[in-house]
């Protein structure tokens, strides 16, 4: 029996995660500190959303929280978004390759790719949104401190 797309990618999760970490480190110098083990769960969640194996809404919450965390850590939103898009390109490439292997270009293949592109856009948007919200909250908390110091 042929594995499902989700199973096929899950069987290669460590390899895909290492590729994502490597590409991000190569293309986004602000994120050279990332290690594959640190992003494994994010890659797993994104792939599950890309393949339609998991509801995108729950994955978006994870990426909003990631964006907020990066904002609190002081990461520039442009670098953060660039890192996300770099990782997403790897995942799209891997999802497309796996889908083509399991479902030669047919309606199923097109459906998988529509899921992947839709999920990628929504995931990046949610993470950037979380980053911006957390940045605004952090700025709001600093304002009283700045006013009281003057």
């Amino acid at each position: 029996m042929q594995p499902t797309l989700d199973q096929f990618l899950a069987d290669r999760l460590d390899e895909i995660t290492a590729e994502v970490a490597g590409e991000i480190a190569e293309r986004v110098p602000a994120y050279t500190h990332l290690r594959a083990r640190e992003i494994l769960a994010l890659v797993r969640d994104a792939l599950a959303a890309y393949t339609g194996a998991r509801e995108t809404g729950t994955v978006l919450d994870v990426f909003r929280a990631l964006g907020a965390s990066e904002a609190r850590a002081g990461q520039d939103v442009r670098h953060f978004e660039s890192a996300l898009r770099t990782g997403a390109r790897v995942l799209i490439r891997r999802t497309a390759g796996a889908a083509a292997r399991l479902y030669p270009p047919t309606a199923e293949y097109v459906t998988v790719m529509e899921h992947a592109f839709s999920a990628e856009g929504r995931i990046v948007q949610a993470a950037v949104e979380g980053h911006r919200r957390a940045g605004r909250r952090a700025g709001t908390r600093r304002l009283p401190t700045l006013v009281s110091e003057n």
Side-chain angles (χ1 to χ4, degrees):
M1 184 165 101
Q2 188 173 22
T4 65
L5 179 60
D6 189 49
Q7 281 178 301
F8 185 85
L9 292 169
D11 290 345
R12 290 150 184 82
L13 191 59
D14 290 337
E15 172 189 324
I16 294 167
T17 301
E19 185 178 345
V20 167
E23 292 250 349
I24 290 171
E26 181 180 318
R27 297 178 187 268
V28 189
Y31 280 88
T32 57
H33 64 281
L34 291 180
R35 301 292 175 255
R37 66 180 169 10
E38 296 169 328
I39 62 171
L40 178 66
L42 296 170
V43 169
R44 183 184 315 116
D45 286 346
L47 283 173
Y50 284 18
T51 62
R54 193 154 154 219
E55 172 56 40
T56 306
T58 58
V59 174
L60 296 180
D61 290 339
V62 169
F63 280 87
R64 279 188 195 96
L66 172 66
S69 172
E70 291 298 290
R72 287 190 296 274
Q75 289 292 346
D76 183 296
V77 71
R78 292 168 298 172
H79 297 148
F80 176 58
E81 185 173 2
S82 182
L84 287 168
R85 291 197 184 281
T86 297
R89 275 192 299 275
V90 172
L91 298 182
I92 292 288
R93 185 172 58 239
R94 288 301 199 112
T95 302
R101 182 175 175 171
L102 295 174
Y103 317 114
T106 61
E108 290 90 356
Y109 178 83
V110 171
T111 299
V112 165
M113 295 317 302
E114 285 175 350
H115 268 288
F117 283 111
S118 175
E120 184 270 337
R122 293 174 66 198
I123 285 170
V124 171
Q125 181 182 11
V128 169
E129 177 185 308
H131 187 284
R132 288 191 176 127
R133 283 183 186 170
R136 282 195 301 268
R137 282 194 297 272
T140 304
R141 284 193 301 268
R142 282 192 292 247
L143 184 59
T145 305
L146 292 174
V147 171
S148 66
E149 289 175 355
N150 291 322

